[in-house]
Amino acid sequence: MEQFYFTKIGQKYAAKTATGSIMEFTIGKFGDGIPVAEPMDLTDLVSPLGELFIFKKTSEGNQVVVQTQFTNVINGEILPAFHLKEIGLFAKLRTADGKEDKDNPETLVAYAHVMGDDYGDYIPNTPTEFIINWPFQISNSQNVSVNVGLMSYALQKDFEELKETVESKPHVAVVY
């Protein structure tokens, strides 16, 4: 993903944390759509195909990292092959005392998509899993500036399977 956006609502939610609200990251999604409108105005993915389960949230200093897991196996069924072109992270606001803020429900707060002629990552019709980290860096609490990066990693299980496949081919050399 070449382009990453903190949506307008995401910016609003982040700003509200400076006044006591709590931004709760709830889920991620992935899809194969390309935005035709301004990505910062989106409240959902263009063409969602599945969800990214949030399994870990950490904070250290002024950085928060939300870890999500991608899998193309949904309800025991493998999705047809596709090009991963968009991912998004959703959040909702809670009041300072932890109650749900009904005026600020779950919505898309961070969005990434492919640019130009990029087809995105090809996801085959075989079980595929990997981790996507969403690092948020917060600075200057009076003006709340949020810088978002994006990192993804293959799961150890996937790496081991690939390693076995490559090593089983006598004409392929493997260098570690």
Side-chain angles (χ1 to χ4, degrees):
M1 307 282 161
E2 292 181 35
Q3 190 66 39
F4 191 90
Y5 297 92
F6 209 54
T7 66
K8 288 180 182 174
I9 294 176
Q11 292 173 26
K12 172 187 158 188
Y13 282 15
K16 285 186 168 277
T17 64
T19 61
S21 292
I22 302 164
M23 186 161 76
E24 178 185 345
F25 296 104
T26 55
I27 198 151
K29 291 184 183 179
F30 64 90
D32 63 355
I34 299 288
V36 292
E38 178 64 41
M40 290 179 61
D41 292 331
L42 293 174
T43 57
D44 199 352
L45 271 61
V46 175
S47 179
L49 297 174
E51 295 181 346
L52 302 167
F53 173 71
I54 295 174
F55 67 92
K56 189 174 182 182
K57 302 172 196 174
T58 58
S59 66
E60 186 174 322
N62 65 340
Q63 183 165 312
V64 174
V65 177
V66 178
Q67 293 185 320
T68 59
Q69 181 176 357
F70 171 92
T71 181
N72 63 342
V73 180
I74 299 175
N75 297 325
E77 300 290 324
I78 302 170
L79 290 175
F82 69 97
H83 286 91
L84 179 63
K85 295 182 180 181
E86 60 178 345
I87 56 176
L89 188 61
F90 290 71
K92 63 183 177 183
L93 283 186
R94 293 194 174 275
T95 60
D97 60 0
K99 294 181 182 171
E100 195 161 323
D101 182 342
K102 294 188 187 318
D103 294 330
N104 296 287
E106 180 182 79
T107 191
L108 180 68
V109 295
Y111 179 74
H113 67 93
V114 298
M115 298 290 290
D117 294 333
D118 189 356
Y119 288 104
D121 292 326
Y122 179 74
I123 307 297
N125 184 299
T126 57
T128 304
E129 294 181 338
F130 53 87
I131 303 300
I132 300 173
N133 285 335
W134 304 75
F136 295 85
Q137 188 168 5
I138 314 296
S139 62
N140 191 351
S141 62
Q142 290 180 340
N143 295 319
V144 185
S145 172
V146 181
N147 298 316
V148 185
L150 192 60
M151 301 178 287
S152 64
Y153 302 95
L155 295 178
Q156 183 68 31
K157 178 181 86 107
D158 295 328
F159 176 75
E160 294 299 329
E161 287 175 6
L162 178 62
K163 179 180 166 189
E164 287 175 20
T165 301
V166 170
E167 288 177 339
S168 70
K169 308 279 185 207
H171 62 282
V172 176
V174 179
V175 178
Y176 298 99

